[in-house]
Amino acid sequence: MIAIKIGTADRRDGDIDARWITDQVNARRREGKKICVLFKVNCGDVNLNLPSRDYPKAGGGGRKPNVNEEFILDEWRKMGFPDQNLNPGMVVSFWEFVKQICD
């Protein structure tokens, strides 16, 4: 299962597409709102909640990531999610990356 929450809008699995992601990110940018994104990835031995930099803080962690989770977290960091302002391309790219892992 992959779920993405962008602001107050959320979708999961087959309801997610690049156009929806782009529309949601751009709508928040036009409204002058922070781009808050939360990825929830739960497939195989992967169980991650990945909030973007501006996502409201929530509890998390509690255990060390396994090898597959660490692989996804490394890509998350490489793409700059914890540190950068988001753009639609970043969100779409990460979604496509995670989708490949979970399929």
Side-chain angles (χ1 to χ4, degrees):
M1 184 273 307
I2 300 170
I4 303 175
K5 185 172 185 177
I6 303 172
T8 58
D10 59 345
R11 288 197 176 173
R12 59 186 289 172
D13 297 322
D15 292 331
I16 301 168
D17 61 36
R19 183 179 187 104
W20 176 79
I21 292 169
T22 300
D23 289 348
Q24 294 302 314
V25 171
N26 287 337
R28 273 141 192 90
R29 183 168 286 131
R30 279 191 307 273
E31 294 167 1
K33 295 181 179 177
K34 290 182 178 181
I35 313 296
C36 301
V37 177
L38 174 66
F39 276 86
K40 292 184 178 187
V41 183
N42 190 347
C43 59
D45 65 346
V46 174
N47 187 2
L48 293 170
N49 289 332
L50 301 169
S52 66
R53 177 186 73 185
D54 291 324
Y55 199 83
K57 298 295 182 217
R63 66 170 173 81
K64 184 177 178 177
N66 63 42
V67 172
N68 292 325
E69 291 169 336
E70 194 60 50
F71 179 67
I72 293 170
L73 287 166
D74 285 344
E75 188 67 18
W76 177 259
R77 291 180 201 110
K78 278 191 239 175
M79 289 186 162
F81 278 90
D83 303 318
Q84 295 183 21
N85 290 322
L86 300 181
N87 65 60
M90 288 172 68
V91 181
V92 170
S93 292
F94 189 74
W95 166 66
E96 289 172 343
F97 168 79
V98 172
K99 203 167 72 161
Q100 287 179 349
I101 290 172
C102 287
D103 284 346

